[in-house]
Amino acid sequence: LETFKLNFEDISIPFVCGEKIFPTILPLLKKHIKSKIIIVTDDTVKNLHLNSVVSTFEKSWSYKVLSSPAGESYKTLSSLANYIDLALRWGADRFTIILALGGGIPGNVGGCLAGLLFRGVPFIHVPTTLISLADSVISLKQAVNSNVSKNTIGLYYTPKLIVGDISFLETLPNREIKSGICEFIKNTLAIAPHDLVWLKDSLLPNFRSSFSSVANVFLKKSIAAKEKVMISDKYEKKNAIILEYGHTVGHAIEMVDAKIKKNGNSISHGEAVGLGMLVAAQVSNQIGFLSEENLNLHFQLLLKFGCRTRLPQGVTVDAIIDLLFKDNKRGYLSAHKNEIPMILLKNLGEPVLESSYPLTCIPIPIVRHVLEKMLYKSSEFIHAIDS
Ligand SMILES: NC(=O)c1ccc[n+]([C@@H]2O[C@H](COP(=O)([O-])OP(=O)(O)OC[C@H]3O[C@@H](n4cnc5c(N)ncnc54)[C@H](O)[C@@H]3O)[C@@H](O)[C@H]2O)c1
């Protein structure tokens, strides 16, 4: 069992991590849990991992499980409102702990529930995806999606504790592993280029077969990258906006694809961010900032881990552009109505700054041109860098 501390300005969050740690952490949980527990999860995680969590404490405390099918379509205000009613009807009080068990979605919905119930009850994260373990729980941002755009209703809320049990990751499908890798690639390109050597030479594409041996390094590097910017910007509103590299276009692709494919086969969050990074890198290259070499590096890293470099079928450029106008980073800069603020790199680890924000207003036709190229020409490009 290893304990890290996440340090964001004046906030310090304990993060315990290890394999099959649930049976051993009861004394630690006892420090935080006074009365009852509400577990927020999704149906997939509930079937796979709920038992190993509740068997630790079912003799000590009463608990209630709030669960929905997995997916972005349940990361909504109506799911959250339903959970609030269910929690109150069950008898939740000011000391009831909210424990979010799952990926970024139960984490975000659980975080909103904890922040809103009685104006704030204690909150524990138990991440079960690579993205949640190494990215979303290392943040104070909690949000659900509105009917219009992603992550637009929420609050900042600090968990009391994060419990990372690496053994939960063993049941993850490859798609979700790739999703976590994409966020890691993002952090490396945008914040921590010194991790490139490890990412290129040491992290093997089939690393999940020996996940326990790399998980610790993966997690430490992820925490270091996020802390580097959040140590002075806990709310991710200034220099830490860089963590959203690839997310402007990525979120739009994710939302459009989720609307088209309702059966759970839509693009993962990480892969959408990967595509968003490719768009940002090409835009930056086109307007004269990012070198050809660093642009190619974006493609090479995503291809190394088998991640997408083309838009999912059915996702149109028009639908993406439509959503770009509703991106949650609008407002930091006074963008013209035909421009969107994007995070661009001029070099690895070095964003282009405008009014001291890592954002640049980009005319829509430039983004449209790049997106159209990715629809129709990216296979030629892949061929070019493969050969
Ligand atoms: N700062 C932040 O708060 C922040 C940062 C990054 C991402 N996010 C949010 O997180 C979400 C993406 O995270 P995610 O990919 O973890 O989403 P998710 O919670 O939907 O999990 C992805 C899929 O993996 C399944 N799953 C989870 N754990 C599993 C396990 N151990 N074994 C098998 N299957 C498992 C889930 O059921 C789901 O189908 C997005 O909504 C994104 O906006 C938030």
Side-chain angles (χ1 to χ4, degrees), residues 15-204:
F15 189 144
V16 294
C17 190
E19 274 196 85
K20 296 195 174 27
I21 57 176
F22 259 89
T24 62
I25 59 162
L26 189 62
L28 181 61
L29 291 176
K30 278 189 170 153
K31 281 193 197 158
H32 295 278
I33 302 175
K34 286 203 170 65
S35 63
K36 314 170 190 174
I37 307 168
I38 290 178
I39 299 168
V40 175
T41 188
D42 70 38
D43 295 348
T44 309
V45 178
K46 183 172 81 174
N47 292 334
L48 290 167
H49 300 297
L50 182 70
N51 276 348
S52 31
V53 174
V54 297
S55 58
T56 308
F57 56 65
E58 63 191 343
K59 290 197 184 89
S60 309
W61 302 288
S62 60
Y63 69 92
K64 174 160 185 73
V65 179
L66 300 176
S67 182
S68 309
E72 286 291 325
S73 45
Y74 292 89
K75 187 176 156 174
T76 59
L77 202 51
S78 53
S79 297
L80 178 61
N82 184 35
Y83 282 2
I84 291 171
D85 287 347
L86 290 168
L88 292 171
R89 284 199 194 107
W90 177 67
D93 60 32
R94 288 176 183 282
F95 297 102
T96 301
I97 287 257
I98 305 296
L99 186 152
L101 171 71
I105 293 179
N108 275 182
V109 177
C112 288
L113 178 64
L116 292 174
L117 211 55
F118 300 105
R119 300 188 191 87
V121 297
F123 179 42
I124 295 179
H125 267 304
V126 182
T128 65
T129 60
L130 194 53
I131 278 214
S132 54
L133 177 80
D135 192 53
S136 65
V137 303
I138 312 170
S139 172
L140 309 180
K141 292 195 291 186
Q142 320 294 345
V144 294
N145 306 328
S146 64
N147 293 327
V148 177
S149 49
K150 216 177 125 61
N151 291 343
T152 27
I153 306 166
L155 70 167
Y156 296 94
Y157 203 62
T158 307
K160 294 272 182 220
L161 174 70
I162 303 171
V163 183
D165 193 327
I166 304 295
S167 58
F168 289 162
L169 304 185
E170 279 164 18
T171 54
L172 276 180
N174 280 338
R175 163 188 199 277
E176 304 306 335
I177 296 280
K178 280 188 208 171
S179 181
I181 284 283
C182 288
E183 291 274 9
F184 190 91
I185 293 174
K186 177 214 68 181
N187 286 341
T188 305
L189 293 169
I191 302 169
H194 53 269
D195 286 336
L196 259 177
V197 177
W198 186 77
L199 185 59
K200 279 163 80 172
D201 302 340
S202 302
L203 190 65
L204 302 174

Side-chain angles (χ1 to χ4, degrees), residues 77-340:
L77 202 51
S78 53
S79 297
L80 178 61
N82 184 35
Y83 282 2
I84 291 171
D85 287 347
L86 290 168
L88 292 171
R89 284 199 194 107
W90 177 67
D93 60 32
R94 288 176 183 282
F95 297 102
T96 301
I97 287 257
I98 305 296
L99 186 152
L101 171 71
I105 293 179
N108 275 182
V109 177
C112 288
L113 178 64
L116 292 174
L117 211 55
F118 300 105
R119 300 188 191 87
V121 297
F123 179 42
I124 295 179
H125 267 304
V126 182
T128 65
T129 60
L130 194 53
I131 278 214
S132 54
L133 177 80
D135 192 53
S136 65
V137 303
I138 312 170
S139 172
L140 309 180
K141 292 195 291 186
Q142 320 294 345
V144 294
N145 306 328
S146 64
N147 293 327
V148 177
S149 49
K150 216 177 125 61
N151 291 343
T152 27
I153 306 166
L155 70 167
Y156 296 94
Y157 203 62
T158 307
K160 294 272 182 220
L161 174 70
I162 303 171
V163 183
D165 193 327
I166 304 295
S167 58
F168 289 162
L169 304 185
E170 279 164 18
T171 54
L172 276 180
N174 280 338
R175 163 188 199 277
E176 304 306 335
I177 296 280
K178 280 188 208 171
S179 181
I181 284 283
C182 288
E183 291 274 9
F184 190 91
I185 293 174
K186 177 214 68 181
N187 286 341
T188 305
L189 293 169
I191 302 169
H194 53 269
D195 286 336
L196 259 177
V197 177
W198 186 77
L199 185 59
K200 279 163 80 172
D201 302 340
S202 302
L203 190 65
L204 302 174
N206 63 348
F207 73 97
R208 69 170 303 158
S209 56
S210 56
F211 195 74
S212 52
S213 62
V214 293
N216 203 277
V217 184
F218 193 95
L219 183 57
K220 278 185 179 151
K221 287 185 181 300
S222 302
I223 291 175
K226 295 202 77 163
E227 246 183 16
K228 187 173 168 192
V229 287
M230 290 179 66
I231 193 95
S232 56
D233 183 14
K234 64 182 174 186
Y235 293 139
E236 304 174 50
K237 286 182 168 181
K238 296 175 282 182
N239 58 317
I241 294 175
I242 186 72
L243 289 165
E244 295 265 306
Y245 184 50
H247 283 60
T248 307
V249 172
H251 275 165
I253 295 172
E254 190 181 5
M255 287 286 273
V256 174
D257 202 42
K259 269 194 190 132
I260 304 171
K261 300 174 192 138
K262 296 211 184 285
N263 56 359
N265 280 334
S266 58
I267 189 167
S268 68
H269 175 75
E271 281 200 276
V273 168
L275 292 177
M277 286 194 284
L278 293 182
V279 174
Q282 289 175 92
V283 166
S284 182
N285 174 259
Q286 227 171 73
I287 62 174
F289 288 119
L290 195 72
S291 69
E292 204 70 22
E293 188 191 350
N294 284 335
L295 167 61
N296 286 352
L297 180 66
H298 281 64
F299 277 92
Q300 281 157 359
L301 290 174
L302 291 171
L303 287 170
K304 172 178 172 183
F305 294 98
C307 303
R308 274 170 194 275
T309 54
R310 304 191 67 163
L311 293 181
Q313 259 201 333
V315 171
T316 65
V317 172
D318 280 342
I320 296 172
I321 302 260
D322 226 35
L323 277 182
L324 293 183
F325 288 109
K326 286 143 196 149
D327 181 61
N328 64 6
K329 285 178 293 306
R330 292 189 76 80
Y332 285 113
L333 302 177
S334 46
H336 184 268
K337 66 176 175 5
N338 202 28
E339 291 177 334
I340 51 148

